[in-house]
Amino acid sequence: IIIIIIMAAIIAGSTSSLSLCRASTMIATCSRRMMMSSSSSNNTASLSRRRCRIRSSQCSLLNKHCSWRRNSSSNNSIGNNHQRRMMVSTTSRQINMKSTLQRPQQLPNNRTTNKAATSTTTIRTILSEATLESLLPRSPTLRHLVNTLNTSLLKPRPLPLPRYISPQHYSFTLSECFGHASFILVAASYATEDFLQLRIMAVFGSGAMLLFTYFHPHGRVLWLPLKWNLLFITLNSYRIGRVLFQRYMADQLGEEWKNFREQHLSVLDLVDFYKLISIATEETYEEGDVVMIQGTANPKVRIVIEGELEVLRDGTLTYVLEKGNFVSESGLHAGLLLSGSMEACGSIVVGPPFDYPSGEKKQQQNNHHDNNVQKKSSRRNKVRVLTWDRTELVQLLEADKGLRNSLKAALSWDIVRKLKTQRHMLVEGRVKDPTSWTKKREDQGISRYAAILQNMLRLPPEEVQAMSQELNKYRL
């Protein structure tokens, strides 16, 4: 019995201790919850008070802004400028204060969300207009102009759509129209092939984007695209002015040069022909003058514009250069842009005029023989040529791809004309020994090819490797 009583006392003591521990744990938990609820209620109250202060300041700021907008058209004094600057700084401070507030943990209801969105939109509008006003120029005329453009470009305009198309009401601004027009003009410029039209459309497209970025519908100036569009407008305007100047100078060429281009260099555009003329010099030779000696270095490229030149290989006449023929082009027709000097593969002299020019039949009447001899003695061969420095010409061709392709086509046609002239020489009897004439022409071609290789060996290996394809074309 004693043992049972002791065991019951022990069990009762342990139960009371457990109940005491549980009670202390519950008291601690309740105290913590009360402390957390009191702190959260204090935070919520402080947040509510701060929101009320900000909303009251926003309403007062909106009233000040509306009163300033009513009086801005008639009063532009220094005091108003100071008031506008103060309003911008005050608005910025209020926005910064609002951004630093801690958001509540619970999600607000729809009514609170709508009120917050409306308040944010109002503040954004006030800040945007105030920022635009701070960017206005100091001149009253320019200020009035910018204000007028801002009002007209950002004014919402209804879009009249029939109700069977859309029951909703849509609106647009002129600033948005300029933005769409910019992209449309840029897309249309890709479809044109004329260089001048492409540049003009690019300038108009960048100008429309310039208005869109400055008078943006959100009210804030987009400085990054605005600066880039200013740069694009400057570059394109320079290229347009350069093209128009070159076309004007090309139109100022004399009738002699225009007729010469139409007859012998019709594949060249008038502007490209002007570019060639602008870096060329005119040379005049009389009968008996030596233009070039075989085996000497020749840094010039020429074209005959009047008269006739004879090409000799070891004293043998190989071919004749007439009006419109190039002299010493040496691989330019194959795309070999070799600068410096080229070794002359023959001598070029100004010989006496031939009695029977190319394309005319020889007259066989004996009664006119004396008259022809008299004309030959009285008429002398005068030659005029245009001369280019080879290095300067190559630099121009490397800088202008269009001119390079056009001149390459003109040189190809010139080779065809020279071959026809050689056939006429055989028909007209200017070749005394056809076998020796053919041998000298072959030697002349080999010497010309050797001169091209000699010029290429002075270049770096990388440039020689780049010209290997053009050299293979020349060999073919």
Side-chain angles (χ1 to χ4, degrees), residues 286-322:
E286 299 293 339
E287 183 177 329
D289 293 342
V290 178
V291 180
M292 189 168 54
I293 301 176
Q294 178 180 339
T296 59
N298 175 38
K300 304 293 183 181
V301 178
R302 298 178 175 90
I303 185 173
V304 182
I305 57 178
E306 183 183 351
E308 182 180 277
L309 293 173
E310 294 181 353
V311 182
L312 306 177
R313 175 69 181 180
D314 298 330
T316 303
L317 179 66
T318 53
Y319 58 93
V320 177
L321 298 173
E322 298 177 343

Side-chain angles (χ1 to χ4, degrees), residues 5 58 124 157-158 193 198 209 285 369 373 386 409:
I5 293 172
Q58 289 175 358
R124 186 188 297 117
R157 304 171 189 273
E193 297 180 356
L198 187 147
M209 182 56 66
Y285 299 95
H369 178 72
V373 174
L386 281 178

Side-chain angles (χ1 to χ4, degrees), residues 348-367:
I348 300 177
V349 298
V350 182
F354 191 64
D355 291 340
Y356 307 104
S358 301
E360 295 183 1
K361 294 182 180 180
K362 185 185 294 183
Q363 298 181 356
Q364 302 293 337
Q365 289 93 354
N366 294 328
N367 53 353

Side-chain angles (χ1 to χ4, degrees), residues 336-349:
L336 294 172
L337 302 180
L338 302 175
S339 58
S341 301
M342 302 287 294
E343 183 179 349
C345 59
S347 299
I348 300 177
V349 298

